[in-house]
Amino acid sequence: VYDVLAEPKNDYIDDAPDPDKVIVKDDDTTATKDSADVGDTVTFSIHSTVPDVAGELEKFEFIDTMSKGLTYTNPQTVTVEVGTTDAEGNVTYSPALADLYTAPVVATDANGITTISITFDPTKLQTKSEDGVYSRVYTDVKVTYTAVVNENAIVGLNGNTNDFKVDYSNSPDVVDEVAPTVYVDTYGFHIQKNDEDGTALAGAEFKLYETKDATDAMNVYTEVDEDGK
């Protein structure tokens, strides 16, 4: 005599989604950590496999959360791709049809934290055979978008975080799968111009350049305190 565990078929998830997120650099290489100046545009790529469920997939949603140091740019910068996997495990991507997903829903809270949500139509991620067996139409989904480092960026290491998760379900309960956090670092200078007596000069202005030939101006956010520093 022994215990028997019965699991309803419609609640069975054979292969949970595997979300990940990266920063896409100018040379098309990717990283989970990079640096940028205030005013620079950063490209993010969020990706997940589509869960392989024995029953009907009821929900599949991307949720991306940026720190207040990052500003989501025009929604037209968003691209959505779907992937199929061959027998050797190679994934081929193609543009997703517009009816596969909703337009990004962007919300910014009182603390300046912006959340981007994209909901996918489960009926277009799956197909159902005549005998009632569900299978995936696509194995992967990838979204690319851009954000700008703004004046609220935290200066220093691991300052500006960007988090991504997938909400999915084929039962009443919604499950989260969370990707590792990515970081965009930015750095600063404390520059003070003084008079002959060492007193800070109010209204002093500076120009900073990337190189000594002063041809490439840096993106700079300037804040002057009450003492003119």
Side-chain angles (χ1 to χ4, degrees):
V1 177
Y2 54 89
D3 294 333
V4 176
L5 175 64
E7 187 171 17
K9 181 178 180 181
N10 284 347
D11 290 343
Y12 177 64
I13 298 177
D14 181 51
D15 185 13
D18 183 19
D20 66 85
K21 179 169 189 172
V22 293
I23 299 167
V24 182
K25 298 184 178 183
D26 292 339
D27 59 1
D28 289 332
T29 59
T30 60
T32 57
K33 184 180 178 67
D34 199 11
S35 61
D37 295 332
V38 172
D40 283 354
T41 298
V42 182
T43 300
F44 295 99
S45 177
I46 53 180
H47 158 269
S48 176
T49 54
V50 177
D52 187 10
V53 298
E56 181 180 4
L57 183 64
E58 297 179 357
K59 178 177 179 147
F60 189 67
E61 181 180 14
F62 279 14
I63 302 175
D64 190 281
T65 304
M66 297 185 293
S67 67
K68 66 179 181 179
L70 295 166
T71 301
Y72 176 69
T73 55
N74 191 311
Q76 298 300 323
T77 63
V78 172
T79 60
V80 181
E81 298 175 283
V82 288
T84 55
T85 305
D86 62 21
E88 285 73 37
N90 301 310
V91 182
T92 301
Y93 287 97
S94 59
L97 297 177
D99 63 352
L100 179 67
Y101 60 96
T102 64
V105 177
V106 183
T108 303
D109 66 17
N111 296 317
I113 306 300
T114 299
T115 300
I116 308 163
S117 302
I118 301 177
T119 302
F120 297 88
D121 186 347
T123 66
K124 292 181 172 59
L125 294 175
Q126 283 185 322
T127 184
K128 185 179 180 181
S129 66
E130 293 182 356
D131 57 358
V133 177
Y134 289 90
S135 59
R136 294 181 292 182
V137 176
Y138 308 106
T139 57
D140 297 75
V141 177
K142 180 167 61 175
V143 174
T144 304
Y145 73 94
T146 59
V148 175
V149 181
N150 63 43
E151 65 273 13
N152 295 314
I154 297 174
V155 176
L157 293 174
N158 299 336
N160 305 285
T161 59
N162 200 307
D163 296 309
F164 168 55
K165 69 177 181 178
V166 174
D167 280 0
Y168 70 101
S169 174
N170 74 324
S171 69
D173 297 326
V174 176
V175 181
D176 288 341
E177 291 290 341
V178 181
T181 299
V182 299
Y183 300 90
V184 178
D185 296 331
T186 191
Y187 303 95
F189 302 89
H190 180 193
I191 302 174
Q192 179 174 314
K193 185 178 288 188
N194 298 333
D195 62 16
E196 295 178 350
D197 300 324
T199 303
L201 293 174
E205 296 182 355
F206 304 89
K207 289 185 178 180
L208 297 179
Y209 297 87
E210 296 278 0
T211 56
K212 65 181 180 180
D213 58 8
T215 56
D216 299 319
M218 296 178 64
N219 294 316
V220 178
Y221 170 68
T222 304
E223 182 176 1
V224 180
D225 64 21
E226 59 185 8
D227 296 323
K229 297 181 181 180

